[in-house]
Amino acid sequence: MTATRSLEAKSEAQLRQELRGFPEAATSAVLALREDPSLGSLRLAVRRVLAFYLPRPKGRSLDELPAETRLREELGVDSLTMAEAAFKLDELLGVEIGTRDAAAIRTLGELEAFLADRLGLGQEPNMEAHALATAAR
Amino acid sequence: MNEVVITGLGFVTSIGHDRRSVVESLREGRCGIKPWNPIAGESLPVRVAGTVRGFDVEGTDPAAWTWPAQWDLDRRLVRSLPPHGVYAVCALEQALAEAGLERRDLDGGNTGLACASGGSPRLMRHHLDRMAAAGWRRGHPLGVVATVAGTLNFNLGAHYGIRGTSCGFVSACTSSSHALGAAFDEIQLGRQDRMLVVGAEDLALETLLPFHAMGALSLEADPACASRPFDQAPDGFVGAGGAVALVLEDAEVARRRGAQVQARMLGWGQAADGFDVAAPHPTGDGLARAITRTLGGAGISAGVVTYVNAHATSTIAGDRAEALALRQAFAGTTPAVSSTKALTGHGLSMAGAMEAAFCVLALTEGFIPGQFHLTRPIPEAEGLDLPRASRCCRPGIALNCNSGFGGTNVCHVFTIPN
């Protein structure tokens, strides 16, 4: 059993239902994470799910942003937006992001690191590049 | 006292999502009641409802909701809306457009908001079930503001930048009737220049079926005759979802900005039965007094009222009581009377705003909606003028009547502008 067992236990149809209304890019990234649990695929899935909750402009991509990107100041993620995205990530991944944890997360990288830690996904630089390239196709 | 006028209307209803289609439906008797089954594969005792077409807000995740393309709703607004909040925004956008108002006109502190909705028991049930499954440790962060009865005024007040009065009303089927009355007072007393009034209802199993437990819903399967106000053979009301919005303004403010005035609101009034938690007073005593108070407050006599939009929901007890109330209040005079719920179904907390708006349409478009689906009137309605089809005429003064649980009775009276 792997750290992403909550995600792996779901069928593609179930995940598509949970992500109904999300862009296909977000759904495909979550499905890729299910197939290939790695730090890289996690980062892409998290960024594409989070992007859905951002203020306009619609369709803004977070794929290439640096890990230091500040959630509130640069992306406009207020506390409710963070809570809403955290609730969805919990539903998808089975990782609870508590209120205090959410308040302490300030950057994209910190959010990814928090989830990677809870899922037991370590640093995999090569896999990261591979996943980004695969999902982008 | 300031004069109060109506400058905008908006509709998302079972009989249309714009002024023109609503007028055509009311004129021609086009029924918005359709087959309804929110649980695929299951046979429910209630089989028809006043459904809202063109929207998909059936799911529990706002991310999956859709609405007609002419409305561009921001997802950051939608995320905290109840399902019927989507209807409400679309109706209010129409009303603001009719009134010639933009968002920047609303944030000066002189515009208020009065809303009515029963909340969304369906979405609340979903969020509570999920929270219980998580051991009550976590739940959706927007679950409260999207589901409780005040959800419309929370959301619309924030979205439209309302800095004047902002309030929600909960009095069952007179909720938006009270909202409209309170809005009138705010302007008449000079507290606000303008009030936005919104009533909306989520058509869902969890909203509607509890009324079946009271024996209040029609079990008729034929949409064309399920809602039969004032008929001898009604078996209950037909529920409906949707939203209706009205823009009320101080007449002088409307005149100064060159707004097109649709109607004057002359007044409103209320009187309760003090009789039963659910059933109306059998003689319609409270409603008769509400009518008399409303007309007296407006300084007009019963004899000048030309049209009454009755509450009559197609329940035996309610229709009988209302017919008696109308006969008592209009003794010696015979305004045309119809309940448009024959076509729309019963919008519950939305009913008052919807039917008040229909009165304004009757005044501005020059017709009296017929009492459709009426075959054999109840004996209590003898002497009432219940036109079987719409009449082409310009009613001078129109009265709207609504009644709710606990014996609340609320009326509004409108006339054409000077």
Coordinates of all heavy atoms in Angstrom, one line a residue, chain A residues 66-135:
Chain A
P66 N 7.6 29.7 -10.0 CA 8.6 29.2 -9.0 C 7.9 28.8 -7.7 O 6.8 29.3 -7.3 CB 9.5 30.4 -8.8 CG 8.8 31.6 -9.2 CD 7.8 31.1 -10.3
A67 N 8.6 27.9 -6.9 CA 8.0 27.4 -5.7 C 7.9 28.6 -4.7 O 7.0 28.5 -3.8 CB 8.9 26.4 -5.1
E68 N 8.6 29.7 -4.9 CA 8.6 30.8 -3.9 C 7.4 31.7 -4.1 O 7.2 32.6 -3.4 CB 9.8 31.6 -4.0 CG 11.1 30.9 -3.7 CD 11.6 30.0 -4.8 OE1 11.2 30.2 -6.0 OE2 12.3 29.0 -4.5
T69 N 6.6 31.4 -5.1 CA 5.4 32.2 -5.4 C 4.5 32.3 -4.2 O 4.1 31.3 -3.7 CB 4.6 31.7 -6.6 OG1 5.5 31.6 -7.7 CG2 3.4 32.6 -7.0
R70 N 4.2 33.5 -3.8 CA 3.4 33.7 -2.6 C 1.9 33.6 -2.9 O 1.4 34.3 -3.8 CB 3.7 35.1 -1.9 CG 5.1 35.1 -1.3 CD 5.5 36.5 -0.9 NE 5.5 37.4 -2.0 CZ 5.6 38.7 -1.9 NH1 5.7 39.3 -0.7 NH2 5.7 39.5 -2.9
L71 N 1.2 32.8 -2.1 CA -0.2 32.5 -2.4 C -1.1 33.7 -2.3 O -1.9 34.0 -3.1 CB -0.6 31.4 -1.4 CG 0.1 30.0 -1.6 CD1 -0.4 29.1 -0.5 CD2 -0.3 29.4 -3.0
R72 N -0.9 34.4 -1.2 CA -1.8 35.5 -0.9 C -1.5 36.7 -1.8 O -2.3 37.3 -2.6 CB -1.8 35.9 0.5 CG -2.7 37.2 0.9 CD -2.6 37.5 2.3 NE -3.4 36.5 3.1 CZ -4.7 36.6 3.4 NH1 -5.4 37.6 2.8 NH2 -5.3 35.7 4.1
E73 N -0.2 37.1 -1.7 CA 0.2 38.4 -2.3 C 0.3 38.3 -3.8 O -0.1 39.2 -4.6 CB 1.6 38.8 -1.8 CG 1.6 39.2 -0.3 CD 1.7 38.0 0.6 OE1 1.7 36.8 0.1 OE2 1.9 38.1 1.8
E74 N 0.7 37.1 -4.4 CA 0.9 37.0 -5.8 C -0.2 36.3 -6.5 O -0.5 36.6 -7.7 CB 2.2 36.3 -6.1 CG 3.5 37.1 -5.6 CD 4.8 36.4 -5.9 OE1 5.1 36.3 -7.1 OE2 5.4 36.0 -4.9
L75 N -0.9 35.4 -5.8 CA -2.0 34.7 -6.5 C -3.4 35.1 -6.0 O -4.4 34.6 -6.6 CB -1.8 33.2 -6.3 CG -0.5 32.6 -6.8 CD1 -0.4 31.1 -6.6 CD2 -0.3 32.9 -8.3
G76 N -3.4 35.9 -5.0 CA -4.8 36.3 -4.5 C -5.5 35.2 -3.7 O -6.8 35.3 -3.7
V77 N -4.8 34.3 -3.2 CA -5.5 33.2 -2.4 C -5.8 33.7 -1.0 O -4.9 33.8 -0.2 CB -4.6 32.0 -2.3 CG1 -5.2 30.9 -1.5 CG2 -4.2 31.5 -3.7
D78 N -7.0 34.1 -0.8 CA -7.4 34.5 0.6 C -7.7 33.2 1.5 O -7.6 32.1 1.0 CB -8.6 35.5 0.6 CG -9.9 34.8 -0.1 OD1 -9.9 33.6 -0.2 OD2 -10.8 35.6 -0.4
S79 N -8.0 33.5 2.7 CA -8.2 32.3 3.6 C -9.3 31.4 3.2 O -9.2 30.2 3.3 CB -8.4 32.9 5.1 OG -9.5 33.6 5.1
L80 N -10.4 32.0 2.7 CA -11.5 31.1 2.3 C -11.1 30.3 1.1 O -11.5 29.1 0.9 CB -12.8 32.0 2.0 CG -13.7 32.2 3.2 CD1 -14.9 33.1 2.8 CD2 -14.2 30.9 3.8
T81 N -10.4 31.0 0.1 CA -10.0 30.2 -1.1 C -9.1 29.1 -0.7 O -9.2 28.0 -1.2 CB -9.3 31.2 -2.0 OG1 -10.1 32.3 -2.3 CG2 -8.9 30.5 -3.3
M82 N -8.2 29.4 0.3 CA -7.2 28.3 0.7 C -8.0 27.2 1.4 O -7.7 26.0 1.1 CB -6.2 28.9 1.7 CG -5.2 28.0 2.2 SD -4.1 27.5 0.8 CE -3.1 26.2 1.6
A83 N -9.0 27.6 2.2 CA -9.8 26.5 2.9 C -10.6 25.7 1.9 O -10.7 24.5 2.0 CB -10.7 27.2 3.9
E84 N -11.1 26.4 0.9 CA -11.9 25.7 -0.2 C -11.0 24.7 -1.0 O -11.4 23.6 -1.2 CB -12.5 26.7 -1.1 CG -13.6 26.2 -1.9 CD -14.2 27.2 -2.9 OE1 -13.5 28.3 -3.1 OE2 -15.2 26.9 -3.5
A85 N -9.8 25.2 -1.4 CA -8.9 24.3 -2.1 C -8.4 23.2 -1.2 O -8.3 22.0 -1.7 CB -7.7 25.2 -2.6
A86 N -8.1 23.5 0.0 CA -7.7 22.4 0.9 C -8.7 21.4 1.1 O -8.4 20.2 1.2 CB -7.3 23.1 2.3
F87 N -10.0 21.8 1.2 CA -11.1 20.8 1.3 C -11.1 19.9 0.1 O -11.3 18.7 0.2 CB -12.4 21.6 1.5 CG -13.5 20.7 1.9 CD1 -13.6 20.2 3.3 CD2 -14.6 20.4 1.1 CE1 -14.7 19.4 3.7 CE2 -15.6 19.6 1.5 CZ -15.7 19.1 2.8
K88 N -10.9 20.5 -1.1 CA -11.0 19.6 -2.3 C -9.8 18.7 -2.3 O -9.9 17.5 -2.7 CB -11.0 20.5 -3.5 CG -11.0 19.8 -4.9 CD -12.1 18.8 -5.0 CE -13.4 19.4 -5.3 NZ -14.5 18.4 -5.6
L89 N -8.6 19.2 -2.0 CA -7.4 18.4 -2.0 C -7.5 17.2 -0.9 O -7.1 16.1 -1.2 CB -6.1 19.2 -1.7 CG -5.8 20.2 -2.8 CD1 -4.7 21.2 -2.3 CD2 -5.2 19.4 -4.0
D90 N -8.2 17.5 0.2 CA -8.4 16.5 1.2 C -9.3 15.4 0.6 O -9.1 14.2 0.7 CB -9.1 17.1 2.4 CG -9.4 16.1 3.5 OD1 -9.1 14.9 3.3 OD2 -10.0 16.5 4.5
E91 N -10.4 15.9 -0.1 CA -11.3 14.9 -0.8 C -10.6 14.0 -1.8 O -10.8 12.8 -1.8 CB -12.4 15.7 -1.5 CG -13.5 14.8 -2.2 CD -14.5 15.6 -3.0 OE1 -14.2 16.8 -3.3 OE2 -15.6 15.1 -3.2
L92 N -9.7 14.7 -2.6 CA -9.0 13.9 -3.6 C -7.9 13.0 -3.1 O -7.8 11.9 -3.5 CB -8.4 14.9 -4.6 CG -9.4 15.7 -5.5 CD1 -8.6 16.8 -6.2 CD2 -10.1 14.8 -6.5
L93 N -7.1 13.6 -2.2 CA -5.9 12.9 -1.8 C -6.0 12.2 -0.4 O -5.1 11.4 -0.1 CB -4.7 13.9 -1.7 CG -4.5 14.7 -3.0 CD1 -3.4 15.7 -2.8 CD2 -4.2 13.8 -4.2
G94 N -7.0 12.6 0.4 CA -7.1 12.0 1.7 C -6.1 12.6 2.7 O -5.7 12.0 3.6
V95 N -5.7 13.9 2.4 CA -4.7 14.6 3.3 C -5.4 15.7 3.9 O -5.9 16.7 3.2 CB -3.5 15.1 2.5 CG1 -2.6 15.9 3.4 CG2 -2.8 13.9 1.9
E96 N -5.6 15.7 5.2 CA -6.2 16.8 5.9 C -5.3 18.0 6.1 O -4.1 17.8 6.6 CB -6.7 16.4 7.3 CG -7.5 17.5 8.0 CD -8.0 17.0 9.4 OE1 -7.8 15.8 9.7 OE2 -8.4 17.8 10.1
I97 N -5.7 19.2 5.6 CA -4.9 20.4 5.9 C -5.7 21.2 6.9 O -6.7 21.8 6.6 CB -4.7 21.2 4.6 CG1 -4.2 20.3 3.5 CG2 -3.8 22.4 4.9 CD1 -4.0 21.1 2.1
G98 N -5.3 21.1 8.2 CA -6.0 21.8 9.2 C -5.9 23.3 9.1 O -5.1 23.9 8.3
T99 N -6.8 24.0 9.8 CA -6.9 25.4 9.7 C -5.6 26.1 10.0 O -5.2 27.0 9.3 CB -8.0 25.9 10.7 OG1 -9.2 25.2 10.4 CG2 -8.3 27.4 10.5
R100 N -4.9 25.6 11.1 CA -3.6 26.2 11.5 C -2.6 25.9 10.4 O -1.7 26.8 10.1 CB -3.2 25.7 12.9 CG -4.1 26.3 14.0 CD -3.6 25.9 15.3 NE -4.4 26.4 16.4 CZ -4.2 26.1 17.7 NH1 -3.2 25.3 18.0 NH2 -5.0 26.7 18.6
D101 N -2.6 24.7 9.9 CA -1.6 24.3 8.9 C -1.8 25.3 7.7 O -0.9 25.8 7.1 CB -1.8 22.9 8.5 CG -1.5 21.9 9.6 OD1 -0.6 22.2 10.4 OD2 -2.1 20.9 9.6
A102 N -3.1 25.4 7.3 CA -3.4 26.2 6.1 C -2.9 27.7 6.3 O -2.4 28.3 5.4 CB -4.9 26.2 5.8
A103 N -3.1 28.2 7.5 CA -2.7 29.6 7.8 C -1.2 29.7 7.7 O -0.7 30.8 7.4 CB -3.2 30.0 9.1
A104 N -0.5 28.6 8.0 CA 1.0 28.7 8.0 C 1.6 28.6 6.6 O 2.8 28.9 6.4 CB 1.6 27.7 9.0
I105 N 0.8 28.1 5.7 CA 1.4 27.8 4.3 C 1.3 29.1 3.6 O 0.2 29.7 3.3 CB 0.5 26.7 3.6 CG1 0.7 25.4 4.3 CG2 0.9 26.7 2.2 CD1 -0.2 24.3 3.9
R106 N 2.5 29.6 3.1 CA 2.5 30.9 2.5 C 2.9 30.9 1.0 O 2.7 31.8 0.3 CB 3.5 31.8 3.2 CG 3.0 32.2 4.6 CD 4.1 32.9 5.4 NE 5.3 32.0 5.5 CZ 6.5 32.3 6.0 NH1 6.6 33.6 6.4 NH2 7.4 31.5 6.1
T107 N 3.5 29.8 0.6 CA 4.0 29.8 -0.8 C 3.5 28.5 -1.5 O 3.1 27.5 -0.8 CB 5.5 29.8 -1.0 OG1 6.0 28.6 -0.4 CG2 6.1 31.0 -0.2
L108 N 3.6 28.4 -2.8 CA 3.3 27.2 -3.6 C 4.1 26.1 -3.1 O 3.7 25.0 -2.9 CB 3.5 27.5 -5.1 CG 2.4 28.0 -6.0 CD1 3.0 28.2 -7.4 CD2 1.2 27.0 -5.9
G109 N 5.4 26.4 -2.9 CA 6.4 25.3 -2.5 C 6.0 24.8 -1.1 O 6.1 23.5 -0.9
E110 N 5.6 25.6 -0.2 CA 5.2 25.2 1.1 C 4.0 24.3 1.1 O 3.9 23.3 1.8 CB 5.0 26.3 2.0 CG 6.3 27.1 2.4 CD 6.0 28.4 3.2 OE1 4.9 28.7 3.5 OE2 7.0 29.1 3.5
L111 N 3.0 24.6 0.2 CA 1.8 23.8 0.1 C 2.2 22.4 -0.5 O 1.8 21.4 0.0 CB 0.8 24.5 -0.9 CG -0.4 23.7 -1.2 CD1 -1.2 23.3 0.0 CD2 -1.3 24.4 -2.2
E112 N 3.1 22.4 -1.5 CA 3.5 21.2 -2.1 C 4.3 20.3 -1.1 O 4.1 19.1 -1.0 CB 4.3 21.4 -3.4 CG 3.5 22.1 -4.5 CD 4.3 22.8 -5.5 OE1 5.5 22.9 -5.4 OE2 3.7 23.4 -6.4
A113 N 5.2 21.0 -0.4 CA 6.0 20.2 0.6 C 5.1 19.6 1.7 O 5.4 18.5 2.1 CB 7.0 21.2 1.2
F114 N 4.1 20.4 2.1 CA 3.2 19.9 3.2 C 2.5 18.6 2.7 O 2.5 17.6 3.4 CB 2.2 21.0 3.5 CG 1.2 20.5 4.5 CD1 1.4 20.8 5.9 CD2 0.0 19.9 4.2 CE1 0.5 20.4 6.8 CE2 -0.9 19.5 5.1 CZ -0.7 19.7 6.5
L115 N 2.0 18.7 1.5 CA 1.3 17.5 1.0 C 2.2 16.3 0.7 O 1.9 15.2 1.0 CB 0.5 17.9 -0.3 CG -0.6 18.9 -0.1 CD1 -1.1 19.4 -1.5 CD2 -1.8 18.2 0.6
A116 N 3.4 16.6 0.2 CA 4.4 15.6 -0.1 C 4.8 14.9 1.2 O 4.9 13.7 1.2 CB 5.6 16.2 -0.8
D117 N 4.9 15.7 2.2 CA 5.3 15.1 3.5 C 4.2 14.2 4.0 O 4.5 13.1 4.5 CB 5.5 16.2 4.5 CG 5.9 15.7 5.9 OD1 7.0 15.1 6.0 OD2 5.1 15.9 6.8
R118 N 3.0 14.6 3.9 CA 1.9 13.8 4.4 C 1.7 12.5 3.6 O 1.2 11.5 4.1 CB 0.6 14.6 4.4 CG 0.5 15.7 5.4 CD 0.6 15.2 6.8 NE 0.2 16.2 7.8 CZ 1.1 17.1 8.3 NH1 2.4 17.1 7.8 NH2 0.7 18.0 9.2
L119 N 2.0 12.6 2.3 CA 1.8 11.5 1.4 C 3.1 10.6 1.4 O 3.1 9.6 0.7 CB 1.5 12.0 0.0 CG 0.1 12.6 -0.2 CD1 0.0 13.3 -1.5 CD2 -1.0 11.6 0.0
G120 N 4.1 11.1 2.0 CA 5.4 10.3 2.0 C 6.1 10.3 0.7 O 6.8 9.3 0.4
L121 N 6.0 11.4 0.0 CA 6.7 11.5 -1.3 C 7.9 12.3 -1.1 O 7.8 13.5 -0.8 CB 5.7 12.1 -2.4 CG 4.5 11.3 -2.7 CD1 3.6 12.1 -3.7 CD2 4.9 10.0 -3.4
G122 N 9.1 11.7 -1.4 CA 10.3 12.4 -1.2 C 10.7 13.2 -2.4 O 10.0 13.3 -3.4
Q123 N 11.9 13.8 -2.4 CA 12.4 14.5 -3.5 C 12.8 13.6 -4.6 O 13.5 12.7 -4.5 CB 13.7 15.3 -3.1 CG 13.4 16.4 -2.1 CD 12.6 17.5 -2.7 OE1 12.7 17.8 -3.9 NE2 11.8 18.2 -1.9
E124 N 12.2 13.8 -5.8 CA 12.5 13.0 -7.0 C 12.7 14.0 -8.2 O 11.8 14.1 -9.0 CB 11.4 12.1 -7.3 CG 11.0 11.1 -6.1 CD 9.7 10.4 -6.4 OE1 9.7 9.7 -7.3 OE2 8.8 10.6 -5.6
P125 N 13.8 14.6 -8.2 CA 14.0 15.7 -9.3 C 13.7 15.2 -10.7 O 13.1 15.8 -11.5 CB 15.4 16.2 -9.1 CG 16.1 15.1 -8.2 CD 15.0 14.5 -7.4
N126 N 14.2 14.0 -11.0 CA 14.1 13.5 -12.3 C 12.6 13.1 -12.7 O 12.1 13.4 -13.7 CB 15.0 12.2 -12.5 CG 16.4 12.6 -12.4 OD1 16.8 13.8 -12.7 ND2 17.3 11.7 -12.0
M127 N 12.0 12.5 -11.7 CA 10.6 12.1 -11.9 C 9.7 13.4 -12.0 O 8.7 13.3 -12.8 CB 10.1 11.3 -10.6 CG 10.7 9.9 -10.5 SD 10.2 8.9 -12.0 CE 8.5 8.7 -11.7
E128 N 10.1 14.4 -11.3 CA 9.4 15.7 -11.4 C 9.3 16.2 -12.9 O 8.3 16.5 -13.4 CB 10.0 16.7 -10.5 CG 9.4 18.0 -10.6 CD 10.2 19.0 -9.7 OE1 10.9 18.5 -8.8 OE2 10.1 20.2 -10.0
A129 N 10.5 16.2 -13.5 CA 10.6 16.7 -14.8 C 9.8 15.8 -15.8 O 9.1 16.2 -16.7 CB 12.1 16.8 -15.3
H130 N 9.9 14.5 -15.5 CA 9.2 13.5 -16.3 C 7.7 13.7 -16.3 O 7.0 13.7 -17.3 CB 9.6 12.1 -15.9 CG 8.7 11.0 -16.5 ND1 8.9 10.7 -17.9 CD2 7.7 10.3 -16.0 CE1 8.0 9.7 -18.2 NE2 7.3 9.5 -17.1
A131 N 7.2 13.9 -15.0 CA 5.8 14.0 -14.9 C 5.2 15.3 -15.5 O 4.2 15.3 -16.1 CB 5.4 14.0 -13.4
L132 N 6.0 16.4 -15.3 CA 5.6 17.7 -15.9 C 5.5 17.5 -17.5 O 4.5 17.9 -18.1 CB 6.6 18.8 -15.6 CG 6.4 19.4 -14.2 CD1 7.6 20.3 -13.9 CD2 5.1 20.3 -14.2
A133 N 6.5 16.9 -18.0 CA 6.5 16.7 -19.5 C 5.4 15.8 -19.9 O 4.7 16.0 -20.9 CB 7.8 16.1 -19.9
T134 N 5.1 14.7 -19.2 CA 4.1 13.7 -19.5 C 2.7 14.4 -19.5 O 1.9 14.3 -20.5 CB 4.1 12.5 -18.6 OG1 5.4 12.0 -18.6 CG2 3.1 11.5 -19.0
A135 N 2.4 15.1 -18.4 CA 1.1 15.7 -18.2 C 0.8 16.8 -19.3 O -0.3 17.0 -19.7 CB 0.9 16.2 -16.8

